[in-house]
Amino acid sequence: MPKPKILIIEDDPAVRHGMTAYLRANDMEVDESDTCQKATELFRAGGYDVVVADYSLPDGTSLDLLPQFKRLSEDTPFIILTAHGSIDLAVRAIKEGAEQFLTKPVESKALLVLVRRLLQQQRLRKRQEVATREQPGPLNPFQGTSALIRRLEEQAGLMLEWDSPVLILGETGAGKGVLARWLHANGPRREETFVNLNCAGLTRELLESELFGHERGAFTGAINAKQGMLEVGHRGIVFLDEIGDMDPAIQPKLLKALEEKTFRRLGDVRDRHVDIRLIASTNRDLEEMVHAKTFRDDLYYRVSTLTLRIPPLRERPEDILQLGATILRSVCRRMGRPEVQLSPKAESALQDYVWPGNLRELSNVLERAMVLQKGDRLEVGDLGLDGRRPSQGAAETELVTMKEMERLHIERVLQRCHSNVTEAAQILGMARRTLYDRLKVLGIAIGKD
């Protein structure tokens, strides 16, 4: 394999030579520059994998270079170093497209770890692009610059080559299905089938038939034999969305299929062999359900061999603008419209909002705004966020736990809906039965509508 190619831009000779020598000693090819002009000439000439640049240079700053370099090579990671770090400068650097902002002096080992991590992320992105080149896939599950999303990407990358079940935890609209498809597209089963079955809202009989299939005459209306998702997904990935809503009567049958790699269609006496990798997701607390005896403990331990948690948007507000920009570009392409920008006040409104519906809600808000606004810029009033839900600022001033925040939010929605649970569940983006479960857990008393 060719060595990674690094460009170091630093006007202090001792610092520059020290970083260069250390990276070269760790099997990397390094070019050096001490000015913006020379760095631009080098970058135009040749294919760097990572750029490490001091903020202050004799003929400018690295923030002057950053937009030029991103136009030439959008995917090349950019690390900015500075001896006088500030939050405002860091925010500006990240907003301009820098992957990392480090305060000097930087330890050589720490820089090496960071460079290697960025190289690994770059390799994963390229693999994903190859897998989805023929048909553009859904939103990248790792878009953003937050430490939480980078940690999720790192954890997911470590799970790619294993065949153990994966449990994806996350709130409604957080992108659990997107992450499941990414695991398939980048794993060893990428050439095989990906099947998706949502366990929420299906009756026990329908869910069992969808999962295991049935023989002709197995029940009233079964006029033909039918393959279940386990058969369809043989050698590939079976994704069970919202597994926490699975009927308890079906859970032992799924466990048997996972443990013994065999199952039976409804109405059949013959065991069928199946080789799948299971990915499951839920927005519910399965541990709590195990304690409440509504989810089997043995199935929980089996499906949660490997666990990934997608952080909600409110925990990573620094990612919201990048996600919003990606969504807007996608909507513009779909509508055949020129690119639309967000005004500064609209950007602030997006970052201040709690986003209980996460990515799904963000996408819906921006798409609705695009339909209603025909200009080339979205203003804060176009977003329709006023009065919809509490802001992050309000939540922070109350200093409440996440569980208490959830309770307060559900109570507000119920109050607005005059205690109509069906309407409240629709606003909250969850199944009616799931909302009743949350009411019980959170101790909110209400009569059934």
Side-chain angles (χ1 to χ4, degrees), residues 81 99 121 160 181 188 219 262 285 305 362 391 398:
L81 313 177
E99 272 66 29
Q121 292 170 0
L160 285 176
R181 289 188 178 275
F219 51 84
T262 61
D285 188 337
T305 305
L362 175 63
S391 68
E398 293 175 21

Side-chain angles (χ1 to χ4, degrees), residues 146-159:
S146 65
L148 288 174
I149 209 66
R150 296 279 66 81
R151 175 61 176 161
L152 176 64
E153 182 177 21
E154 180 182 354
Q155 291 175 330
L158 294 173
M159 297 179 185

